[in-house]
Amino acid sequence: MVQPRIVDEPLQASGGSLSSRVMRILSGIQPSGALHLGNYFGMMRPAIELQTQGDAYYFIANYHSMTSLTDAAERRRHTLDVALGFLACGLDPQKSVFWRQSDVPEVTELTWLLTTVTPMGLLERCHSYKDKLARGVAPSHGLFAYPVLMAADILIFDSNVVPVGRDQKQHVEVTRDIAIKFNQLYGETFVIPEPRIREDVAVVPGIDGQKMSKSYGNTIEIFGEEKATRKKIMGLVMDSRSPAEPKPDAEKNIAIQLLKLVAPAEVAADYETRLRAGGLGYGDLKKALFENYWTCFAAARARRAELAANPGYVQQVLREGAVKARAVATKVLQRAKLAAGLD
Ligand code: ADP
Ligand code: TRP
């Protein structure tokens, strides 16, 4: 088996210099709906924390969003929304390269090269595809082939580490398999990436207790409107046990699980202890959850409002990011084409 490449080892036929570079971190997020707590704790926060650990590359996966969203105006709106939200939450364009996927169209060319070495069975086994079919989504070829585009996104930047939520782990494993196969067939070409999953927040629960996801309609948005979000949180469905009754299963309570994410650790621990002991009503717990949620994102909310008033700046960040990203992508695509005899 091909081992993950040591990052400072130069690649043969690289068509560019890879020598002595730091770890490259890459992730993407689709502009297919409003950003929610699952996106934030599962992917955005880890990605933001990692931007000081290496060379960080983050992008808005607008090509991917075409597998589920067919409204151009919506896509434009969500693209801006993801850009504003990510920057507001702490993505720093001085530390990270940040761009729109479609501004680096080389990924679609690499996708074709990868498609030809991707076994059908590998894609047929993908949970996210099977889940979508099970939910009655009409399968397009794009939906089926989407992990190959994701592999191209990752491989075209010689990425070492890919921070994602647990639901995306399989796609990074597929990427590894595709890269290994290509390397076996055409010689050492791609860096083999590793998924990076934060196990403490691997799956953020939604308001119905299932995985929080925009496709399940169970999200709490990061930048939700105050009144509507309070209503959503106060509407969390709990069981019918009286406030006085001890709740030995307090750690399973959704409000407690969410409180652990948005509140300081000691505050969440105190509520959990009180719920377990009995005497804490669900209404008070939900109120605390709303207040801590609101405070948790107060600074990001203010920053987002500033950025929204300056759309020219956001567009400039994305344009400059695309120039930097494209310079890398062009070299790696060239390396892959040379390896495959497409000179
Ligand atoms: P959605 O499921 O709402 O469509 P996406 O597929 O756009 O979300 O996910 C974007 C990123 O956020 C991915 O890295 C994904 O793993 C992460 N993510 C989404 N929902 C959750 C969740 N409930 N818990 C943890 N991570 C999540
Ligand atoms: N498929 C990811 C999602 O739905 C988004 C994505 C596209 C991605 N390309 C990527 C994530 C490359 C990490 C690396 O959430």
Side-chain angles (χ1 to χ4, degrees):
M1 200 187 100
V2 180
Q3 290 299 315
R5 187 183 302 280
I6 298 159
V7 281
D8 60 2
E9 180 188 329
L11 282 171
Q12 301 297 312
S14 69
S17 143
L18 258 184
S19 48
S20 306
R21 69 166 177 77
V22 291
M23 173 172 82
R24 182 159 295 154
I25 304 145
L26 174 132
S27 196
I29 184 160
Q30 296 196 38
S32 50
L35 293 172
H36 56 72
L37 299 189
N39 298 144
Y40 180 72
F41 290 105
M43 183 270 188
M44 294 165 66
R45 190 177 66 173
I48 289 163
E49 285 171 1
L50 279 169
Q51 66 186 342
T52 52
Q53 310 288 306
D55 223 3
Y57 278 60
Y58 301 132
F59 69 98
I60 306 175
N62 55 358
Y63 282 143
H64 281 272
S65 71
M66 297 184 77
T67 61
S68 60
L69 185 71
T70 54
D71 182 317
E74 283 268 286
R75 189 172 353 272
R76 275 191 202 101
R77 191 166 65 77
H78 291 314
T79 302
L80 179 62
D81 194 58
V82 170
L84 289 172
F86 224 144
L87 290 167
C89 286
L91 188 149
D92 179 351
Q94 303 299 323
K95 298 188 186 128
S96 299
V97 180
F98 186 41
W99 74 100
R100 262 179 306 246
Q101 186 184 29
S102 61
D103 286 341
V104 184
E106 285 75 13
V107 289
T108 60
E109 187 173 350
L110 183 62
T111 301
W112 174 254
L113 272 63
L114 300 180
T115 288
T116 61
V117 303
T118 304
M120 288 291 284
L122 197 61
L123 300 180
E124 279 160 358
R125 283 195 293 278
C126 285
H127 305 304
S128 94
Y129 178 68
K130 290 196 286 191
D131 290 350
K132 282 176 186 150
L133 285 199
R135 277 190 283 121
V137 174
S140 66
H141 175 252
L143 188 69
F144 180 68
Y146 144 120
V148 190
L149 176 58
M150 180 156 164
D153 291 330
I154 296 171
L155 299 178
I156 206 164
F157 293 104
D158 284 331
S159 313
N160 304 103
V161 170
V162 184
V164 280
R166 191 186 287 154
D167 60 318
Q168 293 296 321
K169 185 170 181 231
Q170 190 185 29
H171 291 153
V172 183
E173 285 161 0
V174 166
T175 302
R176 289 170 60 90
D177 288 347
I178 294 173
I180 289 167
K181 183 90 182 283
F182 193 99
N183 285 354
Q184 279 166 350
L185 289 168
Y186 294 117
E188 289 297 297
T189 304
F190 295 120
V191 172
I192 311 298
E194 302 272 356
R196 177 76 60 94
I197 318 277
R198 285 271 304 262
E199 288 305 330
D200 50 338
V201 289
V203 182
V204 177
I207 56 174
D208 57 357
Q210 282 197 78
K211 178 201 128 133
M212 185 177 289
S213 170
K214 43 192 176 266
S215 34
Y216 299 158
N218 64 356
T219 62
I220 296 174
E221 293 174 19
I222 306 176
F223 299 106
E225 198 267 318
E226 182 171 6
K227 230 170 139 186
T229 311
R230 179 182 286 124
K231 200 168 157 205
K232 213 177 227 186
I233 290 179
M234 293 312 290
L236 281 174
V237 178
M238 309 261 134
D239 56 52
S240 57
R241 286 177 288 181
S242 73
E245 211 175 312
K247 320 270 183 319
D249 54 352
E251 75 286 352
K252 293 201 188 111
N253 182 287
I254 300 174
I256 291 289
Q257 288 179 17
L258 293 172
L259 197 60
K260 283 181 181 164
L261 295 172
V262 298
E266 64 284 4
V267 172
D270 179 52
Y271 275 95
E272 187 176 353
T273 308
R274 285 165 57 199
L275 189 67
R276 200 179 299 283
L280 172 66
Y282 288 139
D284 289 339
L285 173 60
K286 290 191 261 187
K287 220 154 127 196
L289 173 59
F290 174 76
E291 275 155 19
N292 279 279
Y293 151 81
W294 198 250
T295 308
C296 176
F297 293 104
R301 207 173 291 120
R303 175 90 183 111
R304 190 184 182 286
E306 277 170 29
L307 290 164
N310 193 357
Y313 167 76
V314 176
Q315 294 304 336
Q316 186 192 336
V317 165
L318 294 175
R319 266 199 308 274
E320 288 177 3
V323 171
K324 290 185 201 155
R326 209 162 177 195
V328 179
T330 309
K331 282 183 189 153
V332 180
L333 175 63
Q334 189 58 19
R335 187 200 302 148
K337 288 176 75 173
L338 279 178
L342 298 164
D343 17 346

